């Protein structure tokens, strides 16, 4: 098994990770429901779900809520997710935001992120940035 050290959860799949027939980002819309599996969980960012797209979907779960969620979400388990938002992949670190439909754990997530994580930018010209 070869390991791609340049890949991290949420990044666009390229090279050997890319499979012909994967959904591109323009074909993903909010409100769609996908079946996938959990690829990784991160204490400070949330869970990442592969839904057959070039980007892993991001389910935001904050660190305090992992105490309640950890018995329901495991790496490798098959889940159903709904697309909540699709964002610009060049500005946002995780362009596809999801929520779990099955298992439904919305009642266990108490704190939501105020805003999605963005890439650090060196320029601060707000006229050119879409804010």
């Amino acid at each position: 098994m070869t390991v791609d050290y340049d890949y991290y959860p949420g990044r666009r799949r390229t090279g050997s990770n890319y499979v012909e027939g994967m959904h591109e980002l323009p074909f993903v819309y909010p409100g769609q429901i996908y079946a996938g599996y959990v690829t990784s969980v991160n204490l400070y960012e949330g869970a990442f779900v592969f839904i057959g797209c070039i980007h892993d979907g991001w389910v935001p779960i904050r660190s305090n809520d992992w105490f309640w969620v950890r018995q329901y979400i495991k790496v490798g388990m098959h889940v159903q997710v709904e697309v909540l938002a699709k964002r610009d992949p060049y500005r946002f670190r995780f362009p596809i935001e999801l929520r779990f439909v099955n298992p439904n754990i919305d009642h266990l997530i108490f704190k939501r992120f105020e805003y999605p994580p963005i890439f650090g930018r060196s320029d601060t010209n707000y006229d050119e940035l879409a804010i």
Side-chain angles (χ1 to χ4, degrees):
M1 179 177 154
T2 60
V3 177
D4 185 5
Y5 293 102
D6 293 332
Y7 179 77
Y8 57 86
R11 183 175 176 178
R12 179 182 172 93
R13 294 177 185 273
T14 58
S16 63
N17 291 325
Y18 181 79
V19 177
E20 193 66 35
M22 284 186 168
H23 295 299
E24 295 286 336
L25 203 54
F27 297 105
V28 177
Y29 294 101
Q32 290 179 332
I33 295 179
Y34 287 97
Y37 61 90
V38 179
T39 58
S40 66
V41 292
N42 191 320
L43 177 63
Y44 297 107
E45 293 170 345
F48 295 94
V49 179
F50 177 70
I51 58 173
C53 186
I54 56 172
H55 293 279
D56 284 345
W58 171 57
V59 180
I61 302 171
R62 298 199 55 177
S63 59
N64 294 342
D65 294 332
W66 275 114
F67 179 78
W68 309 105
V69 174
R70 66 184 174 189
Q71 60 187 345
Y72 296 102
I73 302 302
K74 304 287 185 192
V75 174
M77 73 179 294
H78 292 275
V79 294
Q80 290 181 344
V81 290
E82 178 185 2
V83 178
L84 293 180
K86 178 178 72 168
R87 300 184 178 91
D88 179 17
Y90 297 105
R91 181 168 181 221
F92 292 93
R93 188 169 176 198
F94 313 122
I96 303 173
E97 184 176 341
L98 307 171
R99 78 172 183 90
F100 287 113
V101 174
N102 186 16
N104 187 358
I105 58 167
D106 285 342
H107 63 284
L108 298 175
I109 300 175
F110 300 106
K111 293 186 177 182
R112 303 281 181 182
F113 284 90
E114 290 82 21
Y115 53 88
I118 61 173
F119 285 112
R121 296 196 60 137
S122 59
D123 59 345
T124 56
N125 186 356
Y126 293 108
D127 295 332
E128 295 179 1
L129 298 177
I131 296 179

